[in-house]
């Protein structure tokens, strides 16, 4: 019995392999091995609610007392610094109030100066003008009417216009509204009727009345103001 008791006591004093102290599994030891601690099952963590960090670098910075700032704030600061370095104070854009004055043909006609001032006078006082027009190789004819509008390029909008021009007598295509014209498809809007005033061997002088006419400045040769007493 004594021997059995001595044997039992000896078995109780034998240390278990799991109860052996391992400095690599001691969290407060300098020889602590985190990889071995992760692989060891049923290892009790001394502080269960400890903060988890993404990497060792962040853990070291926390231990050393160097808190990293928020990445968003760092990004904002970096962008602001880059803008300040890229642009100097005198190079930044300046806000200027835009002019609200609307410039069009009607407003420019009121402030025109120089030779165009005569056209404005004729428009305001309803004076008739005589405009000689040209083509590629000479004078084509003339137009008599009232000025409705004009611009700096001498483009004229005329009203109540009497147009007279000269054209070749022999043409391959007959003019519209003439006795020789034979059109299979009649247009919906016909041009004003043309009257032959004078006819020679090679040319004929035509005349027509147009309610509204637009003359381009490049087709105008010269302009004459008709006195008031010659109004018909």
């Amino acid at each position: 019995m004594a021997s059995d008791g001595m044997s039992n006591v000896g078995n109780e004093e034998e240390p278990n392999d799991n109860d052996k102290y391992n400095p690599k599994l001691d969290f407060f030891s300098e020889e602590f091995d985190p990889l071995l601690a992760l692989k060891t099952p049923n290892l009790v963590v001394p502080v269960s609610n400890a903060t988890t960090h993404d990497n060792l670098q962040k853990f070291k910075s926390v231990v050393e007392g160097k808190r990293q700032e928020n990445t968003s704030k760092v990004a904002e600061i970096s962008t602001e610094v880059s803008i300040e370095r890229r642009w100097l104070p005198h190079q930044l854009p300046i806000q200027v109030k835009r002019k609200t004055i609307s410039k069009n043909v009607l407003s420019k006609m009121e402030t025109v100066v120089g030779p165009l001032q005569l056209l404005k006078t004729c428009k305001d006082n309803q004076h008739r003008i005589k405009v000689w027009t040209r083509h590629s190789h000479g004078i084509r004819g003339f137009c008599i009417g009232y000025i409705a509008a004009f611009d700096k390029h001498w483009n004229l909008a005329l009203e109540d216009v009497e147009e007279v021009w000269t054209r070749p007598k022999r043409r391959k295509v007959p003019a519209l509204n003439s006795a020789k014209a034979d059109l299979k498809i009649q247009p919906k809007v016909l041009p004003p009727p043309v009257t032959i005033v004078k006819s020679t061997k090679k040319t004929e002088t035509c005349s027509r009345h147009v309610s509204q006419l637009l003359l381009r400045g490049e087709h105008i040769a010269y302009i004459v103001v008709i006195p008031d007493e010659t109004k018909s």
Side-chain angles (χ1 to χ4, degrees), residues 38-215:
L38 292 174
K39 296 179 182 180
T40 303
N42 301 326
L43 184 64
V44 180
V45 181
V47 182
S48 59
N49 57 351
T51 305
T52 305
H53 301 284
D54 297 336
N55 47 52
L56 293 176
Q57 184 65 29
K58 190 172 183 180
F59 171 75
K60 290 181 180 179
S61 63
V62 173
V63 172
E64 294 174 1
K66 298 179 181 178
R67 299 280 182 177
Q68 294 184 356
E69 297 181 358
N70 191 5
T71 55
S72 61
K73 295 182 179 180
V74 174
E76 293 178 359
I77 295 172
S78 62
T79 54
E80 293 178 359
V81 172
S82 62
I83 292 175
E84 292 178 356
R85 291 179 179 178
R86 185 177 301 175
W87 303 104
L88 297 176
H90 66 277
Q91 295 176 338
L92 295 175
I94 301 174
Q95 294 182 357
V96 180
K97 294 183 179 180
R98 293 187 177 182
K99 296 182 180 179
T100 57
I101 301 175
S102 59
K103 294 184 179 181
N104 50 34
V105 175
L106 300 178
S107 62
K108 288 182 178 180
M109 283 192 301
E110 300 299 328
T111 59
V112 71
V113 294
L116 293 174
Q117 184 69 28
L118 180 61
L119 297 180
K120 181 180 181 299
T121 303
C122 295
K123 171 184 170 296
D124 296 339
N125 300 332
Q126 288 295 307
H127 294 321
R128 299 186 74 184
I129 63 171
K130 186 174 183 179
V131 183
W132 271 265
T133 58
R134 65 179 181 86
H135 45 59
S136 60
H137 54 279
I139 298 298
R140 175 181 179 272
F142 61 87
C143 298
I144 300 175
Y146 298 95
I147 298 177
F150 63 91
D151 62 3
K152 63 180 180 180
H153 304 291
W154 292 86
N155 299 322
L156 301 180
L158 303 179
E159 294 179 343
D160 191 14
V161 184
E162 189 69 27
E163 183 182 7
V164 179
W165 76 98
T166 303
R167 66 186 182 189
K169 192 172 184 179
R170 295 180 180 179
R171 297 181 303 276
K172 294 182 180 180
V173 180
L176 293 176
N177 298 338
S178 62
K180 298 181 181 179
D182 185 11
L183 300 178
K184 296 181 180 180
I185 301 176
Q186 294 293 336
K188 294 182 180 180
V189 180
L190 295 175
V194 177
T195 303
I196 298 176
V197 180
K198 182 181 177 181
S199 178
T200 61
K201 185 177 181 180
K202 295 184 179 181
T203 61
E204 56 187 6
T205 303
C206 304
S207 174
R208 65 178 177 182
H209 180 80
V210 185
S211 58
Q212 294 180 343
L213 183 65
L214 178 63
L215 288 178

